[in-house]
Amino acid sequence: MIYVLMIICAALAALFLRAESREQYVKAVVLKGLASLCFVAIGALCSPWTHVATMIVAGLIIGSTADVLLNLRMVFEKKGQMIFLVGILVFLTGHIMYLAAVLPLCAHKLICVIVGLVLTALLMMWIFKRITAKPAFKIFGVVYIGAIMLLNCVAIGNLISDPSSFNAVFAAGAVLFLISDIVLILNTFGSEFKQSLRNTNISLYYIGQLLIALSLQLLA
């Protein structure tokens, strides 16, 4: 069942990209929502329903909700900016759920926080040189990237201190999620939108979420 859901997720994500590129935005929202439900279902099937697992499944559910919100901005263009910001806020909530799940497992919390802050500052300086965005989007961007960067630092820190299968797969998913978001920001607020970058963004995002969902079956 898990393998079938993975194949369905990939197929729906591909159909979503095609519909979006053809400006069939309502159809695209439906397809994206269904694709995201697949990784939620995989997470639920893999979950041992411990506290950590429940928090991660909650993050998956929140992420699937944010997926729909982000694409609704193309359906309701007049409120597109507000919908986009709300979508990012919901995604941020999902990252916080992931962080709340793995932070208690971290043996070096202070080090991870410091490294996360430094890397966030460096990354955002690099991104701001390459994009044009309103102050509100930049503020949201700093907070959002800061949260997912901290999540990555904690996930990788957990892997270093405890090289388990769960930590390895979860960390890989978190890293792909971060790269996906960087591509999204550069493509959305950069000088030129490129469909190839959009394809990369969506592909990395779904692989990342699928890895996070699959990591649950490795949770001791």
Side-chain angles (χ1 to χ4, degrees):
M1 178 61 71
I2 291 172
Y3 290 124
V4 170
L5 285 170
M6 290 173 65
I7 294 170
I8 293 173
C9 181
L12 288 170
L15 290 172
F16 154 71
L17 285 169
R18 186 175 70 173
E20 186 183 70
S21 67
R22 295 180 178 181
E23 299 184 357
Q24 299 170 336
Y25 295 131
V26 174
K27 181 179 179 181
V29 168
V30 174
L31 289 168
K32 194 179 186 188
L34 291 174
S36 298
L37 281 177
C38 289
F39 63 66
V40 172
I42 290 171
L45 287 172
C46 292
S47 177
W49 297 109
T50 60
H51 176 71
V52 171
T54 301
M55 297 291 280
I56 292 175
V57 172
L60 291 169
I61 294 171
I62 293 170
S64 69
T65 303
D67 280 334
V68 175
L69 284 172
L70 284 184
N71 267 79
L72 280 176
R73 76 186 191 278
M74 298 177 182
V75 178
F76 304 102
E77 292 186 26
K78 292 182 178 179
K79 297 183 178 180
Q81 291 187 359
M82 179 58 68
I83 293 173
F84 184 83
L85 290 174
V86 172
I88 293 298
L89 183 61
V90 175
F91 256 130
L92 175 61
T93 305
H95 291 318
I96 292 172
M97 297 300 288
Y98 289 153
L99 186 59
V102 297
L103 186 59
L105 308 177
C106 184
H108 306 286
K109 295 180 179 64
L110 181 59
I111 293 175
C112 289
V113 170
I114 293 172
V115 172
L117 289 174
V118 172
L119 291 178
T120 298
L122 293 173
L123 178 59
M124 292 314 298
M125 284 191 292
W126 181 80
I127 288 176
F128 285 156
K129 292 178 180 178
R130 289 160 175 80
I131 67 170
T132 301
K134 294 181 178 180
F137 285 94
K138 288 186 175 182
I139 293 170
F140 267 73
V142 170
V143 175
Y144 179 82
I145 291 296
I148 192 170
M149 182 63 79
L150 178 57
L151 172 64
N152 272 262
C153 290
V154 170
I156 294 172
N158 287 350
L159 177 59
I160 293 171
S161 62
D162 178 21
S164 66
S165 298
F166 164 74
N167 285 333
V169 176
F170 184 91
V175 169
L176 291 180
F177 207 143
L178 173 61
I179 297 173
S180 169
D181 282 334
I182 293 171
V183 174
L184 172 64
I185 292 170
L186 294 175
N187 201 35
T188 302
F189 300 105
S191 58
E192 180 185 0
F193 176 86
K194 295 181 180 179
Q195 187 60 43
S196 60
L197 290 180
R198 179 58 169 164
N199 295 343
T200 301
N201 155 225
I202 293 299
S203 299
L204 292 176
Y205 169 73
Y206 277 103
I207 295 171
Q209 289 281 48
L210 285 171
L211 286 174
I212 290 172
L214 290 168
S215 72
L216 292 172
Q217 66 183 334
L218 303 170
L219 195 58

mmCIF file with all atom_site columns, all heavy atoms in Angstrom, residues 96-117:
data_model
loop_
_atom_site.group_PDB
_atom_site.id
_atom_site.type_symbol
_atom_site.label_atom_id
_atom_site.label_alt_id
_atom_site.label_comp_id
_atom_site.label_asym_id
_atom_site.label_entity_id
_atom_site.label_seq_id
_atom_site.pdbx_PDB_ins_code
_atom_site.Cartn_x
_atom_site.Cartn_y
_atom_site.Cartn_z
_atom_site.occupancy
_atom_site.B_iso_or_equiv
_atom_site.pdbx_formal_charge
_atom_site.auth_seq_id
_atom_site.auth_comp_id
_atom_site.auth_asym_id
_atom_site.auth_atom_id
_atom_site.pdbx_PDB_model_num
ATOM 1   N N   . ILE A 1 96  ? 7.280  23.821 12.843 1.00 0.00 ? 96  ILE A N   1
ATOM 2   C CA  . ILE A 1 96  ? 7.348  23.867 14.306 1.00 0.00 ? 96  ILE A CA  1
ATOM 3   C C   . ILE A 1 96  ? 6.938  22.520 14.903 1.00 0.00 ? 96  ILE A C   1
ATOM 4   O O   . ILE A 1 96  ? 7.525  22.054 15.888 1.00 0.00 ? 96  ILE A O   1
ATOM 5   C CB  . ILE A 1 96  ? 6.470  25.010 14.854 1.00 0.00 ? 96  ILE A CB  1
ATOM 6   C CG1 . ILE A 1 96  ? 7.085  26.365 14.467 1.00 0.00 ? 96  ILE A CG1 1
ATOM 7   C CG2 . ILE A 1 96  ? 6.319  24.904 16.367 1.00 0.00 ? 96  ILE A CG2 1
ATOM 8   C CD1 . ILE A 1 96  ? 6.207  27.558 14.786 1.00 0.00 ? 96  ILE A CD1 1
ATOM 9   N N   . MET A 1 97  ? 5.944  21.870 14.278 1.00 0.00 ? 97  MET A N   1
ATOM 10  C CA  . MET A 1 97  ? 5.537  20.540 14.751 1.00 0.00 ? 97  MET A CA  1
ATOM 11  C C   . MET A 1 97  ? 6.662  19.533 14.563 1.00 0.00 ? 97  MET A C   1
ATOM 12  O O   . MET A 1 97  ? 6.956  18.723 15.463 1.00 0.00 ? 97  MET A O   1
ATOM 13  C CB  . MET A 1 97  ? 4.286  20.079 13.993 1.00 0.00 ? 97  MET A CB  1
ATOM 14  C CG  . MET A 1 97  ? 3.062  20.954 14.208 1.00 0.00 ? 97  MET A CG  1
ATOM 15  S SD  . MET A 1 97  ? 2.533  21.044 15.937 1.00 0.00 ? 97  MET A SD  1
ATOM 16  C CE  . MET A 1 97  ? 1.865  19.399 16.156 1.00 0.00 ? 97  MET A CE  1
ATOM 17  N N   . TYR A 1 98  ? 7.329  19.585 13.404 1.00 0.00 ? 98  TYR A N   1
ATOM 18  C CA  . TYR A 1 98  ? 8.482  18.702 13.177 1.00 0.00 ? 98  TYR A CA  1
ATOM 19  C C   . TYR A 1 98  ? 9.574  18.973 14.208 1.00 0.00 ? 98  TYR A C   1
ATOM 20  O O   . TYR A 1 98  ? 10.167 18.048 14.771 1.00 0.00 ? 98  TYR A O   1
ATOM 21  C CB  . TYR A 1 98  ? 9.066  18.925 11.778 1.00 0.00 ? 98  TYR A CB  1
ATOM 22  C CG  . TYR A 1 98  ? 8.218  18.432 10.628 1.00 0.00 ? 98  TYR A CG  1
ATOM 23  C CD1 . TYR A 1 98  ? 8.313  19.035 9.372  1.00 0.00 ? 98  TYR A CD1 1
ATOM 24  C CD2 . TYR A 1 98  ? 7.347  17.360 10.765 1.00 0.00 ? 98  TYR A CD2 1
ATOM 25  C CE1 . TYR A 1 98  ? 7.558  18.583 8.298  1.00 0.00 ? 98  TYR A CE1 1
ATOM 26  C CE2 . TYR A 1 98  ? 6.581  16.905 9.702  1.00 0.00 ? 98  TYR A CE2 1
ATOM 27  C CZ  . TYR A 1 98  ? 6.692  17.525 8.469  1.00 0.00 ? 98  TYR A CZ  1
ATOM 28  O OH  . TYR A 1 98  ? 5.944  17.076 7.405  1.00 0.00 ? 98  TYR A OH  1
ATOM 29  N N   . LEU A 1 99  ? 9.828  20.258 14.428 1.00 0.00 ? 99  LEU A N   1
ATOM 30  C CA  . LEU A 1 99  ? 10.877 20.654 15.374 1.00 0.00 ? 99  LEU A CA  1
ATOM 31  C C   . LEU A 1 99  ? 10.528 20.197 16.789 1.00 0.00 ? 99  LEU A C   1
ATOM 32  O O   . LEU A 1 99  ? 11.395 19.705 17.526 1.00 0.00 ? 99  LEU A O   1
ATOM 33  C CB  . LEU A 1 99  ? 11.071 22.169 15.335 1.00 0.00 ? 99  LEU A CB  1
ATOM 34  C CG  . LEU A 1 99  ? 12.221 22.745 16.166 1.00 0.00 ? 99  LEU A CG  1
ATOM 35  C CD1 . LEU A 1 99  ? 13.550 22.145 15.738 1.00 0.00 ? 99  LEU A CD1 1
ATOM 36  C CD2 . LEU A 1 99  ? 12.248 24.259 16.039 1.00 0.00 ? 99  LEU A CD2 1
ATOM 37  N N   . ALA A 1 100 ? 9.272  20.351 17.159 1.00 0.00 ? 100 ALA A N   1
ATOM 38  C CA  . ALA A 1 100 ? 8.831  19.924 18.487 1.00 0.00 ? 100 ALA A CA  1
ATOM 39  C C   . ALA A 1 100 ? 8.983  18.415 18.658 1.00 0.00 ? 100 ALA A C   1
ATOM 40  O O   . ALA A 1 100 ? 9.186  17.919 19.774 1.00 0.00 ? 100 ALA A O   1
ATOM 41  C CB  . ALA A 1 100 ? 7.385  20.337 18.714 1.00 0.00 ? 100 ALA A CB  1
ATOM 42  N N   . ALA A 1 101 ? 8.900  17.689 17.541 1.00 0.00 ? 101 ALA A N   1
ATOM 43  C CA  . ALA A 1 101 ? 9.035  16.225 17.601 1.00 0.00 ? 101 ALA A CA  1
ATOM 44  C C   . ALA A 1 101 ? 10.475 15.797 17.821 1.00 0.00 ? 101 ALA A C   1
ATOM 45  O O   . ALA A 1 101 ? 10.745 14.886 18.618 1.00 0.00 ? 101 ALA A O   1
ATOM 46  C CB  . ALA A 1 101 ? 8.491  15.611 16.308 1.00 0.00 ? 101 ALA A CB  1
ATOM 47  N N   . VAL A 1 102 ? 11.422 16.445 17.119 1.00 0.00 ? 102 VAL A N   1
ATOM 48  C CA  . VAL A 1 102 ? 12.814 15.954 17.153 1.00 0.00 ? 102 VAL A CA  1
ATOM 49  C C   . VAL A 1 102 ? 13.722 16.722 18.112 1.00 0.00 ? 102 VAL A C   1
ATOM 50  O O   . VAL A 1 102 ? 14.790 16.224 18.470 1.00 0.00 ? 102 VAL A O   1
ATOM 51  C CB  . VAL A 1 102 ? 13.428 15.975 15.732 1.00 0.00 ? 102 VAL A CB  1
ATOM 52  C CG1 . VAL A 1 102 ? 12.661 15.035 14.818 1.00 0.00 ? 102 VAL A CG1 1
ATOM 53  C CG2 . VAL A 1 102 ? 13.474 17.387 15.150 1.00 0.00 ? 102 VAL A CG2 1
ATOM 54  N N   . LEU A 1 103 ? 13.310 17.926 18.528 1.00 0.00 ? 103 LEU A N   1
ATOM 55  C CA  . LEU A 1 103 ? 14.164 18.701 19.435 1.00 0.00 ? 103 LEU A CA  1
ATOM 56  C C   . LEU A 1 103 ? 14.419 17.993 20.764 1.00 0.00 ? 103 LEU A C   1
ATOM 57  O O   . LEU A 1 103 ? 15.559 18.025 21.267 1.00 0.00 ? 103 LEU A O   1
ATOM 58  C CB  . LEU A 1 103 ? 13.553 20.085 19.676 1.00 0.00 ? 103 LEU A CB  1
ATOM 59  C CG  . LEU A 1 103 ? 14.400 21.066 20.501 1.00 0.00 ? 103 LEU A CG  1
ATOM 60  C CD1 . LEU A 1 103 ? 15.756 21.320 19.819 1.00 0.00 ? 103 LEU A CD1 1
ATOM 61  C CD2 . LEU A 1 103 ? 13.657 22.386 20.712 1.00 0.00 ? 103 LEU A CD2 1
ATOM 62  N N   . PRO A 1 104 ? 13.415 17.337 21.369 1.00 0.00 ? 104 PRO A N   1
ATOM 63  C CA  . PRO A 1 104 ? 13.697 16.623 22.624 1.00 0.00 ? 104 PRO A CA  1
ATOM 64  C C   . PRO A 1 104 ? 14.728 15.502 22.472 1.00 0.00 ? 104 PRO A C   1
ATOM 65  O O   . PRO A 1 104 ? 15.324 15.076 23.462 1.00 0.00 ? 104 PRO A O   1
ATOM 66  C CB  . PRO A 1 104 ? 12.322 16.056 23.015 1.00 0.00 ? 104 PRO A CB  1
ATOM 67  C CG  . PRO A 1 104 ? 11.340 16.963 22.353 1.00 0.00 ? 104 PRO A CG  1
ATOM 68  C CD  . PRO A 1 104 ? 11.975 17.333 21.052 1.00 0.00 ? 104 PRO A CD  1
ATOM 69  N N   . LEU A 1 105 ? 14.938 15.036 21.237 1.00 0.00 ? 105 LEU A N   1
ATOM 70  C CA  . LEU A 1 105 ? 15.909 13.969 20.988 1.00 0.00 ? 105 LEU A CA  1
ATOM 71  C C   . LEU A 1 105 ? 17.324 14.514 20.828 1.00 0.00 ? 105 LEU A C   1
ATOM 72  O O   . LEU A 1 105 ? 18.279 13.744 20.747 1.00 0.00 ? 105 LEU A O   1
ATOM 73  C CB  . LEU A 1 105 ? 15.524 13.198 19.712 1.00 0.00 ? 105 LEU A CB  1
ATOM 74  C CG  . LEU A 1 105 ? 14.091 12.659 19.621 1.00 0.00 ? 105 LEU A CG  1
ATOM 75  C CD1 . LEU A 1 105 ? 13.865 12.002 18.268 1.00 0.00 ? 105 LEU A CD1 1
ATOM 76  C CD2 . LEU A 1 105 ? 13.801 11.684 20.753 1.00 0.00 ? 105 LEU A CD2 1
ATOM 77  N N   . CYS A 1 106 ? 17.439 15.852 20.776 1.00 0.00 ? 106 CYS A N   1
ATOM 78  C CA  . CYS A 1 106 ? 18.717 16.495 20.495 1.00 0.00 ? 106 CYS A CA  1
ATOM 79  C C   . CYS A 1 106 ? 19.598 16.533 21.745 1.00 0.00 ? 106 CYS A C   1
ATOM 80  O O   . CYS A 1 106 ? 19.179 17.007 22.804 1.00 0.00 ? 106 CYS A O   1
ATOM 81  C CB  . CYS A 1 106 ? 18.478 17.912 19.974 1.00 0.00 ? 106 CYS A CB  1
ATOM 82  S SG  . CYS A 1 106 ? 19.976 18.774 19.483 1.00 0.00 ? 106 CYS A SG  1
ATOM 83  N N   . ALA A 1 107 ? 20.840 16.084 21.578 1.00 0.00 ? 107 ALA A N   1
ATOM 84  C CA  . ALA A 1 107 ? 21.777 16.054 22.705 1.00 0.00 ? 107 ALA A CA  1
ATOM 85  C C   . ALA A 1 107 ? 22.543 17.364 22.863 1.00 0.00 ? 107 ALA A C   1
ATOM 86  O O   . ALA A 1 107 ? 23.142 17.611 23.899 1.00 0.00 ? 107 ALA A O   1
ATOM 87  C CB  . ALA A 1 107 ? 22.762 14.901 22.526 1.00 0.00 ? 107 ALA A CB  1
ATOM 88  N N   . HIS A 1 108 ? 22.524 18.210 21.840 1.00 0.00 ? 108 HIS A N   1
ATOM 89  C CA  . HIS A 1 108 ? 23.297 19.457 21.869 1.00 0.00 ? 108 HIS A CA  1
ATOM 90  C C   . HIS A 1 108 ? 22.419 20.608 21.346 1.00 0.00 ? 108 HIS A C   1
ATOM 91  O O   . HIS A 1 108 ? 22.688 21.196 20.297 1.00 0.00 ? 108 HIS A O   1
ATOM 92  C CB  . HIS A 1 108 ? 24.560 19.326 21.034 1.00 0.00 ? 108 HIS A CB  1
ATOM 93  C CG  . HIS A 1 108 ? 25.417 18.160 21.416 1.00 0.00 ? 108 HIS A CG  1
ATOM 94  N ND1 . HIS A 1 108 ? 26.182 18.144 22.570 1.00 0.00 ? 108 HIS A ND1 1
ATOM 95  C CD2 . HIS A 1 108 ? 25.607 16.959 20.815 1.00 0.00 ? 108 HIS A CD2 1
ATOM 96  C CE1 . HIS A 1 108 ? 26.814 16.988 22.654 1.00 0.00 ? 108 HIS A CE1 1
ATOM 97  N NE2 . HIS A 1 108 ? 26.489 16.250 21.610 1.00 0.00 ? 108 HIS A NE2 1
ATOM 98  N N   . LYS A 1 109 ? 21.391 20.916 22.094 1.00 0.00 ? 109 LYS A N   1
ATOM 99  C CA  . LYS A 1 109 ? 20.401 21.897 21.656 1.00 0.00 ? 109 LYS A CA  1
ATOM 100 C C   . LYS A 1 109 ? 21.011 23.275 21.428 1.00 0.00 ? 109 LYS A C   1
ATOM 101 O O   . LYS A 1 109 ? 20.728 23.936 20.411 1.00 0.00 ? 109 LYS A O   1
ATOM 102 C CB  . LYS A 1 109 ? 19.265 21.994 22.676 1.00 0.00 ? 109 LYS A CB  1
ATOM 103 C CG  . LYS A 1 109 ? 18.438 20.722 22.814 1.00 0.00 ? 109 LYS A CG  1
ATOM 104 C CD  . LYS A 1 109 ? 17.335 20.915 23.841 1.00 0.00 ? 109 LYS A CD  1
ATOM 105 C CE  . LYS A 1 109 ? 16.464 19.666 23.982 1.00 0.00 ? 109 LYS A CE  1
ATOM 106 N NZ  . LYS A 1 109 ? 17.222 18.514 24.497 1.00 0.00 ? 109 LYS A NZ  1
ATOM 107 N N   . LEU A 1 110 ? 21.809 23.767 22.353 1.00 0.00 ? 110 LEU A N   1
ATOM 108 C CA  . LEU A 1 110 ? 22.368 25.113 22.251 1.00 0.00 ? 110 LEU A CA  1
ATOM 109 C C   . LEU A 1 110 ? 23.254 25.244 21.012 1.00 0.00 ? 110 LEU A C   1
ATOM 110 O O   . LEU A 1 110 ? 23.174 26.251 20.290 1.00 0.00 ? 110 LEU A O   1
ATOM 111 C CB  . LEU A 1 110 ? 23.162 25.464 23.502 1.00 0.00 ? 110 LEU A CB  1
ATOM 112 C CG  . LEU A 1 110 ? 23.781 26.878 23.539 1.00 0.00 ? 110 LEU A CG  1
ATOM 113 C CD1 . LEU A 1 110 ? 22.686 27.938 23.400 1.00 0.00 ? 110 LEU A CD1 1
ATOM 114 C CD2 . LEU A 1 110 ? 24.583 27.088 24.820 1.00 0.00 ? 110 LEU A CD2 1
ATOM 115 N N   . ILE A 1 111 ? 24.068 24.251 20.754 1.00 0.00 ? 111 ILE A N   1
ATOM 116 C CA  . ILE A 1 111 ? 24.943 24.286 19.579 1.00 0.00 ? 111 ILE A CA  1
ATOM 117 C C   . ILE A 1 111 ? 24.112 24.338 18.301 1.00 0.00 ? 111 ILE A C   1
ATOM 118 O O   . ILE A 1 111 ? 24.398 25.117 17.384 1.00 0.00 ? 111 ILE A O   1
ATOM 119 C CB  . ILE A 1 111 ? 25.880 23.058 19.561 1.00 0.00 ? 111 ILE A CB  1
ATOM 120 C CG1 . ILE A 1 111 ? 26.862 23.131 20.734 1.00 0.00 ? 111 ILE A CG1 1
ATOM 121 C CG2 . ILE A 1 111 ? 26.637 22.977 18.231 1.00 0.00 ? 111 ILE A CG2 1
ATOM 122 C CD1 . ILE A 1 111 ? 27.739 21.903 20.859 1.00 0.00 ? 111 ILE A CD1 1
ATOM 123 N N   . CYS A 1 112 ? 23.054 23.530 18.240 1.00 0.00 ? 112 CYS A N   1
ATOM 124 C CA  . CYS A 1 112 ? 22.186 23.500 17.058 1.00 0.00 ? 112 CYS A CA  1
ATOM 125 C C   . CYS A 1 112 ? 21.505 24.844 16.838 1.00 0.00 ? 112 CYS A C   1
ATOM 126 O O   . CYS A 1 112 ? 21.381 25.313 15.702 1.00 0.00 ? 112 CYS A O   1
ATOM 127 C CB  . CYS A 1 112 ? 21.148 22.397 17.196 1.00 0.00 ? 112 CYS A CB  1
ATOM 128 S SG  . CYS A 1 112 ? 21.832 20.727 17.052 1.00 0.00 ? 112 CYS A SG  1
ATOM 129 N N   . VAL A 1 113 ? 21.065 25.480 17.927 1.00 0.00 ? 113 VAL A N   1
ATOM 130 C CA  . VAL A 1 113 ? 20.411 26.787 17.812 1.00 0.00 ? 113 VAL A CA  1
ATOM 131 C C   . VAL A 1 113 ? 21.389 27.837 17.297 1.00 0.00 ? 113 VAL A C   1
ATOM 132 O O   . VAL A 1 113 ? 21.064 28.627 16.390 1.00 0.00 ? 113 VAL A O   1
ATOM 133 C CB  . VAL A 1 113 ? 19.830 27.223 19.180 1.00 0.00 ? 113 VAL A CB  1
ATOM 134 C CG1 . VAL A 1 113 ? 19.371 28.691 19.122 1.00 0.00 ? 113 VAL A CG1 1
ATOM 135 C CG2 . VAL A 1 113 ? 18.664 26.327 19.569 1.00 0.00 ? 113 VAL A CG2 1
ATOM 136 N N   . ILE A 1 114 ? 22.591 27.859 17.849 1.00 0.00 ? 114 ILE A N   1
ATOM 137 C CA  . ILE A 1 114 ? 23.594 28.845 17.423 1.00 0.00 ? 114 ILE A CA  1
ATOM 138 C C   . ILE A 1 114 ? 23.962 28.644 15.956 1.00 0.00 ? 114 ILE A C   1
ATOM 139 O O   . ILE A 1 114 ? 23.999 29.603 15.171 1.00 0.00 ? 114 ILE A O   1
ATOM 140 C CB  . ILE A 1 114 ? 24.853 28.746 18.310 1.00 0.00 ? 114 ILE A CB  1
ATOM 141 C CG1 . ILE A 1 114 ? 24.521 29.196 19.737 1.00 0.00 ? 114 ILE A CG1 1
ATOM 142 C CG2 . ILE A 1 114 ? 25.968 29.614 17.742 1.00 0.00 ? 114 ILE A CG2 1
ATOM 143 C CD1 . ILE A 1 114 ? 25.643 28.956 20.730 1.00 0.00 ? 114 ILE A CD1 1
ATOM 144 N N   . VAL A 1 115 ? 24.221 27.396 15.573 1.00 0.00 ? 115 VAL A N   1
ATOM 145 C CA  . VAL A 1 115 ? 24.558 27.105 14.174 1.00 0.00 ? 115 VAL A CA  1
ATOM 146 C C   . VAL A 1 115 ? 23.398 27.473 13.261 1.00 0.00 ? 115 VAL A C   1
ATOM 147 O O   . VAL A 1 115 ? 23.592 28.039 12.177 1.00 0.00 ? 115 VAL A O   1
ATOM 148 C CB  . VAL A 1 115 ? 24.927 25.616 14.006 1.00 0.00 ? 115 VAL A CB  1
ATOM 149 C CG1 . VAL A 1 115 ? 25.093 25.264 12.524 1.00 0.00 ? 115 VAL A CG1 1
ATOM 150 C CG2 . VAL A 1 115 ? 26.202 25.291 14.766 1.00 0.00 ? 115 VAL A CG2 1
ATOM 151 N N   . GLY A 1 116 ? 22.165 27.188 13.707 1.00 0.00 ? 116 GLY A N   1
ATOM 152 C CA  . GLY A 1 116 ? 20.985 27.523 12.919 1.00 0.00 ? 116 GLY A CA  1
ATOM 153 C C   . GLY A 1 116 ? 20.848 29.012 12.681 1.00 0.00 ? 116 GLY A C   1
ATOM 154 O O   . GLY A 1 116 ? 20.536 29.455 11.572 1.00 0.00 ? 116 GLY A O   1
ATOM 155 N N   . LEU A 1 117 ? 21.098 29.817 13.716 1.00 0.00 ? 117 LEU A N   1
ATOM 156 C CA  . LEU A 1 117 ? 21.003 31.272 13.585 1.00 0.00 ? 117 LEU A CA  1
ATOM 157 C C   . LEU A 1 117 ? 22.061 31.816 12.626 1.00 0.00 ? 117 LEU A C   1
ATOM 158 O O   . LEU A 1 117 ? 21.771 32.673 11.778 1.00 0.00 ? 117 LEU A O   1
ATOM 159 C CB  . LEU A 1 117 ? 21.158 31.925 14.961 1.00 0.00 ? 117 LEU A CB  1
ATOM 160 C CG  . LEU A 1 117 ? 19.993 31.735 15.939 1.00 0.00 ? 117 LEU A CG  1
ATOM 161 C CD1 . LEU A 1 117 ? 20.354 32.302 17.308 1.00 0.00 ? 117 LEU A CD1 1
ATOM 162 C CD2 . LEU A 1 117 ? 18.726 32.402 15.413 1.00 0.00 ? 117 LEU A CD2 1
#
